Amino acid sequence: MTEIRTERLLLRDWRESDLSPWAAMNADPEVREHLGPLLTAEQAAASARAFQADLDRLGYGFWAVEVRAGGAFVGFAGLDRVDEGVPVTGVEAGWRLARSAWGHGYATEAARAVLRYGFDTVGLPEILAITTATNLRSQAVMRRLGMTTDPADDFDDPEVASGPLRRQVVYRKRAGDR
């Protein structure tokens, strides 16, 4: 079990008690605005179990994120292999937080810890971050992390129909650029 502690956050294994707030997050249209359809409680629980299986198998994945002061579950942050079928490869950093956790700097704090873990513990030479072209909040986090983008890397997600979620932007950070 790997835990990552930051000044305010704990990135940890998933617990049964996380499933209800995780399901509520994924049923929130604002949280899912740049991610696609809302998830049912069953779909959300299955995703949390898959995240935990990755953590157990790989030593990295998407950790549950809680606020250390009070222990509130607020979402996830972590590393995952880029999906097959897209024109870039590698490992990407990702995060998703409940609306109540927005605007506190938690995404940047958690993602910074995830990058450090990916470079220092996993030994990754590069970490990507991918989001929709319309997700300006996540792109701002990527820039705060020192990630850079090249429009030549951007692509249309082949699994998404035409619309605002199709165009994806790719940000990168190399281990040597810290």
Side-chain angles (χ1 to χ4, degrees):
M1 177 173 88
T2 299
E3 290 187 344
I4 301 172
R5 292 179 182 273
T6 70
E7 181 180 338
R8 300 178 299 160
L9 304 173
L10 174 63
L11 284 66
R12 57 159 174 80
D13 283 345
W14 290 79
R15 300 176 183 151
E16 197 67 29
S17 60
D18 300 331
L19 298 182
S20 179
W22 175 244
M25 275 179 57
N26 285 287
D28 182 334
E30 285 188 63
V31 170
R32 299 287 308 174
E33 178 182 5
H34 301 284
L35 300 167
L38 302 180
L39 300 183
T40 66
E42 294 78 19
Q43 290 169 321
S47 69
R49 289 186 183 97
F51 298 154
Q52 185 59 51
D54 284 345
L55 288 168
D56 293 340
R57 187 177 76 256
L58 302 171
Y60 67 87
F62 290 127
W63 288 275
V65 175
E66 75 175 49
V67 177
R68 290 175 62 184
F73 169 87
V74 293
F76 82 54
L79 299 165
D80 192 23
R81 291 187 201 121
V82 173
D83 291 337
E84 291 183 20
V86 298
V88 295
T89 59
V91 174
E92 73 174 304
W95 50 85
R96 185 177 318 156
L97 299 177
R99 266 192 295 146
S100 63
W102 293 0
H104 300 282
Y106 294 151
T108 302
E109 185 174 333
R112 188 168 283 123
V114 163
L115 290 177
R116 192 169 38 253
Y117 185 87
F119 292 135
D120 296 345
T121 303
V122 181
L124 298 170
E126 176 182 70
I127 298 174
L128 309 176
I130 303 170
T131 191
T132 61
T134 57
N135 191 345
L136 302 180
R137 292 174 64 108
S138 276
Q139 289 179 56
V141 170
M142 295 167 193
R143 287 189 301 277
R144 282 193 292 274
L145 295 170
M147 301 183 98
T148 58
T149 186
D150 178 347
D153 290 336
D154 297 351
F155 64 94
D156 289 336
D157 188 329
E159 298 200 4
V160 176
S162 293
L165 302 183
R166 184 146 200 208
R167 191 69 179 163
Q168 303 289 304
V169 295
V170 179
Y171 282 73
R172 299 174 182 273
K173 186 162 189 158
R174 290 180 175 80
D177 294 342
R178 299 186 286 155

